[in-house]
Amino acid sequence: MSNLLQLQAGFKSFGTKSLFNDANFAINDDEHVGVIGPNGAGKTTLFKILTDQEGLDEGIIVKSKSLRLGYLAQHDQWGPEESVEHYLSENAKTPLWELRSLGKELGITDDLFDKPVVSLSGGYRMRCKLLYLIGQEPNLMLLDEPTNYLDLETTLVLEKFLQGYKGAFLLISHDREFLRRTTDHILEVEQGDITKFNGNLDDYFEQKEMLRSQLEARAMSLQEKKNEILEFVARFGAKASKAKQAQSRLKSLDKMETIELKSLPVKAAIKLPAPSKAGKHIITLENADCGYGEKVVLKNVNYILKNGDHLAVVGLNGAGKSTFLKVLAQVMKPLSGKMELGYQVSVGYYAQHVAENLNPNGTVLSELEAKAHKEVTSQEILNMAGSLLFSGADVRKKISVLSGGEKSRVALGQILLQKAPCLILDEPTNHLDFQTVEALTQALMKYEGTLAVVSHDRSFIRRVAKKILEINHGQASVYPGTYDEYVWSLQSGALAQRRAETTTPELHSNKSEKLRPPDFNYKDMKKNLDREFKSSEKALAALDLKLETLGKEIKTLNHKIASSSGTVLKETIDLLVKAQKEIEIAEAEWLVISEKRDQVSDSLRKLK
């Protein structure tokens, strides 16, 4: 395995903020590396340094002579008339005919090659950027949030491409499911350090926790030893017979190892104000045509969003998901038909670019206060700011100096403080770090109000959504299954086949949620679910046996400790700690597999 690049003793600061402090790491060929860290930790800056757009304050970047670097940035500039074909032809090593063929896998049809890039939606611009990068034939790709604004089908295509990619890549993403499926190493950028971990995201979390536990145990052991020395000196330092020993022990303190335990990054914990009360029906659409001017995007929509519904709206980019949410949020009126809000219903609406509407001269606190419900207290506003990682003096920061991710958090806080009985959220997880996405997920899972959401984050949707509404070919229909089943349908091609065969799809209202499309391949789905269920049962049986064996081992070790001393006692304690750790890991694994088995079991029942 050859080395492609190394960062050696890297230092980088912006003003008084230190991003990297003596940072070191290396990337080898064929490594698929996920880059993670809190917003503002320096992930994008690291990419700019590696691509010579910015320099280090100190340190060096060592690059292999064989390195061919390709960079997919978050933002690009195109000329107002620059066509997709012209853009892709620049610096391309892959022939244009081959790029056209590859483009079809990303949904870039031949007719799009003649259109200006700036005329395309954000999702299609991202696909063009991916195709441009592929055309450069790099052996190390740098991908900065490539799944932002991609629909699920294109994300799955990109996922499959990266899984089979023969070269190396560094991938910045806050999409845990995407990272879990595409990477075999994790590069953590946090608090000035850059640390590389072997394994995927799940392995990283396990290693991180174990490393922290080991350091805490070692630090505690050293502190106890230091306390013993200091106590000895305090008791016997004045006695002539013990003075020499006391001085000797004091000198040993200087030679003892120092364990530096960095503070853990602040974790958000969002507490939503209780929503205002509302009636049974939140929003009713009857025979509604939705669109812009004379252009109809969605036709004859009949849907009732009920109190307590947690609805995920899914479909291809450009299918009309955002249009549907805008109609629900009353940002747009139906072109025809009826849209009616229920009794005492108000809507909190988070749009993809809502952060752009913040007052640049306002502060974090003043912007949150401006949108908060009149019953929300000042303390609740401060608590929300803190839960979104704005604490202390940070609440006085002007909006104009905030990063894109920080502005998104402020805009999200504005929506969450409105006490609205219905939240309409369009891509709320974009630009949020792991901690904030997880906090938002947990808060919305517990949210007692009504929710309609569009998101590319599979982990987020899987845990938050209880119903699925698919937007396809100008129609809105309830999907007859769980989100996992919907994703599986896309991966297996069953949903694409159903779409291709459906020329005039019938609209499903709430009354027909239990109806199943006649051409859907439930036999294959049941076979797949049966296989998953049996696999889970087998894994749980093996873990039960392992836990029983470890339980017996711990019981034996506890008896041995009671009658041991010296070296034997230490070795026995070490074995006990190891066995207890193995039990913790096995129990955690058992809970995850058990939950998955139950989900599969529920899906099987729905198919009967």
Side-chain angles (χ1 to χ4, degrees), residues 325-339:
L325 292 193
K326 286 177 182 177
V327 171
L328 292 183
Q330 293 186 296
V331 174
M332 292 172 52
K333 293 182 178 180
L335 300 177
S336 63
K338 180 181 177 182
M339 196 285 286

Side-chain angles (χ1 to χ4, degrees), residues 266-284:
V266 178
K267 293 183 179 179
I270 298 173
K271 185 177 181 181
L272 299 181
S276 303
K277 292 183 179 180
K280 182 179 179 181
H281 290 174
I282 300 298
I283 301 174
T284 301

Side-chain angles (χ1 to χ4, degrees), residues 362-516:
T363 65
V364 171
L365 186 58
S366 68
E367 287 300 281
L368 292 177
E369 289 173 337
K371 297 293 184 179
H373 190 277
K374 61 182 181 181
E375 294 179 3
V376 173
T377 66
S378 298
Q379 188 57 52
E380 285 178 315
I381 294 173
L382 288 172
N383 290 344
M384 179 61 73
S387 70
L388 294 172
L389 309 184
F390 296 107
S391 57
D394 288 343
V395 299
R396 303 293 177 188
K397 281 185 177 179
K398 280 199 169 185
I399 300 300
S400 58
V401 304
L402 300 182
S403 68
E406 288 172 327
K407 289 177 182 177
S408 294
R409 296 205 301 269
V410 174
L412 183 62
Q414 287 184 325
I415 307 302
L416 301 180
L417 286 169
Q418 292 177 16
K419 287 177 67 71
C422 179
L423 296 179
I424 309 294
L425 307 177
D426 194 354
E427 296 287 6
T429 63
N430 276 359
H431 310 302
L432 299 183
D433 55 33
F434 276 151
Q435 290 89 349
T436 312
V437 171
E438 178 61 23
L440 180 62
T441 302
Q442 292 186 17
L444 293 178
M445 286 172 66
K446 300 173 185 174
Y447 179 60
E448 296 177 357
T450 305
L451 173 68
V453 61
V454 168
S455 177
H456 70 280
D457 190 322
R458 281 169 283 175
S459 297
F460 174 76
I461 290 294
R462 180 179 292 112
R463 296 163 65 190
V464 167
K466 299 173 184 175
K467 292 183 178 180
I468 308 296
L469 186 76
E470 185 193 7
I471 307 294
N472 179 43
H473 292 311
Q475 304 291 322
S477 57
V478 174
Y479 179 77
T482 66
Y483 184 69
D484 279 332
E485 291 165 354
Y486 175 77
V487 174
W488 180 86
S489 299
L490 291 178
Q491 290 173 320
S492 67
L495 195 58
Q497 181 181 355
R498 174 165 73 89
R499 285 174 174 167
E501 294 174 356
T502 304
T503 55
T504 55
E506 291 297 325
L507 181 69
H508 292 273
S509 68
N510 283 19
K511 296 179 180 179
S512 60
E513 288 182 15
K514 295 184 179 179
L515 294 178
R516 307 187 189 285

